[in-house]
Each structure stands twice: as C-alpha cells, then as structure tokens.
Amino acid sequence: MNKQMFIKTSFAIILFSLLCVIVPVDAYASSVSTNMNVLKRYETEMKRMLRSDHISYYGDFYEKVKKKYVETMKEVGRMKNGKVKREYMIKLKKVNDTMEHFLYYVKAMEQGQKLKQTATQVDRALRDGNINSFYNLYPVFEQQLKDMVYFSSKTKKYPVYSKMFHAFLQPAIQIKNRSYAPINTLYAFDQVIDCYEKDQIDEVEKLISLCDQFIKKVVDKKTKERLVILLEEVKKPIIIDIQ
C-alpha cells in the first residue's frame, strides 16, 4: 500500500513537473500562431492596398503592422524547437517582403504630399514673377522630386505606381520643365557675380550671353520680365568698366 502510494505520489510529481514545462510552451506556441494569423491578415490587406485603384496614406496602418511583426519576431526568436522556428521564419520573411514594398508606398505617398505642396508654391512663384521665392524653393522642390521618383519606382509592379505618377510626378515634372530656363538663368547670375569679384570679364560676357539664351526660353511672362530687368542690372558693371 505504501509502495502504491509512493508510486502514485511519484507519478503525480512527475506529471506536475511535465505540466509546468509543457503548458507554458503550448501557451507560447499558441501566442506565436495567433500573431502569425494576424500578420497574414495584415499581409493580405497590404497587398490589397498596393493593388488598389485608389491611393491613400497608410502610415498608421504600417506602424501597426510593424509593431506586430517585431513582437512576433521576438517570440519566434525565443522558440526552442528548431524545425517550428524555421517554419515561422519562412512565413515571417514573406510578410517582411510585402512590408518592404508597402513601406516604399507609404514613403512615396508621404513624399508625394510634400512634393505637391512645394510644387504649388514653385508654380505660384513662377506665375507671379517672385524670383526670390522661386530661387529659395527650387532646391527643396528638386530634392523632393528626386526622393519621390526613388520611392515610387520601388512600387512599379503595383497599380498604385500609376496613380501616384499622375497625382504627383507628372505635375511636378511639368513644373520642373518650366523651371529649367529661369533657374539656370539665376545660377548663371550667381556665376557672373563671382566672376566680377575675380575680375574675369571675358567669362562674364560669356555668361551674360548664356543668360540671354535662357531668358528667351522662359515661358512664364512675369518671371521673364523680372529676369530681363535683373540681367540689365547684372550688365551694368561691364558698362561702367568700358566707360
């Protein structure tokens, strides 16, 4: 009887010890499985957004996905079962690939909004002949356009690229084309001033001739008129020198 009690007691202790190990592992695996199911739903949603005919900014959604992804990665990283761990890592890699494309979409939309706002300001400055504003805005506009081209190019295989191109890139490229002659005229003016300071009169005359050519290509009337006036101001030191 004592022996039977001892066996039963021993078995109970062993079973309890096993449960202490097994239950947390099962609960942990269940947590990873639940998170993976959530990530799969997110992945499906991201793909749907990338293939959509409608573009929108999904920064908050991406941050939610990222948070869940990082949480799941940490849990999988702590798993002891190598085979199960590898299976989850493969699944996570697929989710990460979609997240990468989606992040480029989010960044492109973010940059596109900034570009649109700056492009509007550049457009207004050109129409109004506001040379100072145009000169200060253009470098920012140019960099934003480059960033937009980069981020959006990473989404070319998805329908959203075409939508972003027409919404942001196409109008900005048109403004960039309009800006080419006036901004190069202004940059030439800067070089003229620099050459005056170095007494490089021959170079000044070449640059002024170049400015004349650029100004002829300016399409915005008020900007063109303002550049003509500035060109006459730039020419004055040569006239004084000749006299």
Side-chain angles (χ1 to χ4, degrees):
M1 184 70 178
N2 289 337
K3 187 176 181 180
Q4 286 181 339
M5 285 295 297
F6 175 77
I7 291 172
K8 287 181 180 180
T9 303
S10 299
F11 180 75
I13 292 171
I14 293 170
L15 182 60
F16 177 77
S17 299
L18 286 172
L19 285 172
C20 288
V21 176
I22 293 172
V23 171
V25 172
D26 286 345
Y28 183 73
S30 176
S31 175
V32 174
S33 178
T34 300
N35 282 345
M36 277 305 307
N37 287 334
V38 172
L39 281 175
K40 285 178 183 178
R41 290 199 300 273
Y42 286 163
E43 182 184 15
T44 300
E45 188 65 11
M46 285 188 290
K47 287 180 177 178
R48 184 192 66 77
M49 291 172 180
L50 286 165
R51 293 175 181 138
S52 174
D53 289 332
H54 172 73
I55 55 174
S56 187
Y57 178 67
Y58 295 109
D60 292 341
F61 177 70
Y62 174 79
E63 289 302 320
K64 184 168 70 172
V65 177
K66 181 182 175 182
K67 182 179 179 181
K68 181 61 67 175
Y69 175 83
V70 171
E71 178 188 330
T72 308
M73 273 289 290
K74 288 179 180 178
E75 289 181 344
V76 172
R78 297 189 192 105
M79 294 185 79
K80 303 298 182 183
N81 189 318
K83 182 181 178 181
V84 175
K85 185 175 182 177
R86 283 191 296 273
E87 289 174 355
Y88 277 123
M89 289 302 291
I90 291 170
K91 292 177 181 178
L92 284 169
K93 175 66 169 58
K94 288 178 64 180
V95 174
N96 185 65
D97 289 344
T98 304
M99 284 177 64
E100 186 175 329
H101 285 104
F102 192 73
L103 177 59
Y104 281 124
Y105 172 38
V106 169
K107 290 290 185 183
M109 285 298 300
E110 190 176 71
Q111 198 61 47
Q113 295 293 346
K114 292 178 182 177
L115 176 62
K116 186 176 182 179
Q117 182 178 359
T118 307
T120 300
Q121 294 173 327
V122 172
D123 174 66
R124 187 183 302 116
L126 285 170
R127 292 181 188 278
D128 294 345
N130 190 336
I131 297 301
N132 288 335
S133 180
F134 169 70
Y135 184 83
N136 292 328
L137 282 167
Y138 188 78
V140 178
F141 167 74
E142 188 174 41
Q143 186 57 54
Q144 288 177 348
L145 179 56
K146 287 178 181 177
D147 291 342
M148 180 61 191
V149 168
Y150 172 75
F151 288 124
S152 63
S153 68
K154 299 295 184 178
T155 67
K156 273 189 175 180
K157 69 177 185 177
Y158 296 102
V160 289
Y161 172 78
S162 177
K163 299 295 178 182
M164 288 191 292
F165 179 84
H166 290 295
F168 305 118
L169 284 174
Q170 192 173 54
I173 291 169
Q174 290 172 350
I175 292 173
K176 180 179 172 64
N177 291 339
R178 279 170 54 208
S179 300
Y180 177 80
I183 197 63
N184 279 287
T185 303
L186 292 171
Y187 288 160
F189 284 167
D190 289 342
Q191 293 178 58
V192 168
I193 294 168
D194 186 54
C195 288
Y196 274 135
E197 292 174 352
K198 297 176 181 177
D199 292 325
Q200 298 173 339
I201 303 304
D202 290 342
E203 192 64 28
V204 167
E205 291 176 349
K206 291 178 184 177
L207 286 167
I208 285 177
S209 175
L210 184 62
C211 289
D212 274 323
Q213 294 175 38
F214 279 131
I215 289 174
K216 289 175 183 176
K217 297 176 182 178
V218 176
V219 296
D220 291 277
K221 184 179 178 181
K222 289 184 179 180
T223 291
K224 190 171 189 174
E225 290 172 351
R226 183 67 182 135
L227 289 173
V228 168
I229 293 171
L230 289 175
L231 180 59
E232 292 305 313
E233 292 293 322
V234 168
K235 286 179 179 178
K236 283 182 180 179
I238 295 181
I239 297 170
I240 292 169
D241 184 63
I242 292 172
Q243 290 174 340

